[in-house]
Amino acid sequence: MMKWKKIRGEAKELGYDFWVTLVADTITEEALPTYESWLMDVEGIDQHNGKDNGWSKWVRAWTAEENRHGDVLNKYLYLSGRVNMREIEMTTQHLISDGFDIGTDRDPYKNFVYTTFQELATNISHKRVGKMARQKGN
């Protein structure tokens, strides 16, 4: 059996809460250009002339890793055949193009605290998705 058919078969067992959570997680991961742009605008960071400073290196490495998460989630959603990918792509596009204000201004401390809590929230959400999938035998 083709692997994508197996994925689609297993995906049919997963409930509504699983898909809603996974879609939200995917959109969050795929909005990375927005996150990187505000992290690179932190007070005291010159992303153009100081490309080799520790903060810029960390942000670029973090963004590269997070991008992989979005890619994997997006591919799984696509292969599952359970969601409207066009709607997901449009939602992600709107989130990125509309931008958002997290209320940290350019304060490095506030940005670091926000990023830390956002990472924790994402970790909890991904674990819950995994738990829901395991409960269905996936």
Side-chain angles (χ1 to χ4, degrees):
M1 179 193 285
M2 297 176 92
K3 288 183 181 183
W4 68 268
K5 286 185 178 181
K6 183 177 187 228
I7 291 171
R8 288 200 172 179
E10 292 173 351
K12 288 181 181 179
E13 304 294 321
L14 300 168
Y16 178 79
D17 290 347
F18 173 88
W19 295 109
V20 168
T21 306
L22 191 61
V23 165
D25 286 355
T26 303
I27 292 168
T28 299
E29 296 285 3
E30 291 196 328
L32 275 170
T34 302
Y35 309 145
E36 182 174 5
S37 67
W38 59 257
L39 284 171
M40 292 298 270
D41 192 42
V42 169
E43 187 176 315
I45 299 300
D46 182 352
Q47 64 177 313
H48 303 291
N49 296 320
K51 291 191 282 188
D52 293 329
N53 68 58
W55 181 259
S56 295
K57 284 181 182 179
W58 179 84
V59 169
R60 288 192 306 273
W62 174 75
T63 302
E65 177 60 28
E66 293 298 306
N67 184 62
R68 294 172 66 203
H69 301 169
D71 287 348
V72 167
L73 294 173
N74 185 294
K75 284 177 178 75
Y76 178 76
L77 289 175
Y78 174 77
L79 291 172
S80 76
R82 304 296 293 172
V83 297
N84 183 331
M85 291 305 296
R86 185 177 190 294
E87 291 296 324
I88 292 170
E89 295 295 335
M90 286 175 25
T91 300
T92 303
Q93 182 66 28
H94 287 302
L95 175 62
I96 294 170
S97 65
D98 291 348
F100 59 92
D101 180 2
I102 61 172
T104 60
D105 296 318
R106 298 182 67 221
D107 184 305
Y109 177 75
K110 289 179 183 176
N111 275 282
F112 185 73
V113 170
Y114 177 87
T115 304
T116 301
F117 279 101
Q118 179 61 42
E119 282 294 296
L120 176 61
T122 302
N123 182 286
I124 290 168
S125 186
H126 289 332
K127 285 181 180 179
R128 287 183 178 159
V129 166
K131 183 178 179 181
M132 286 186 269
R134 282 189 302 278
Q135 287 172 343
K136 294 292 185 177
N138 286 307

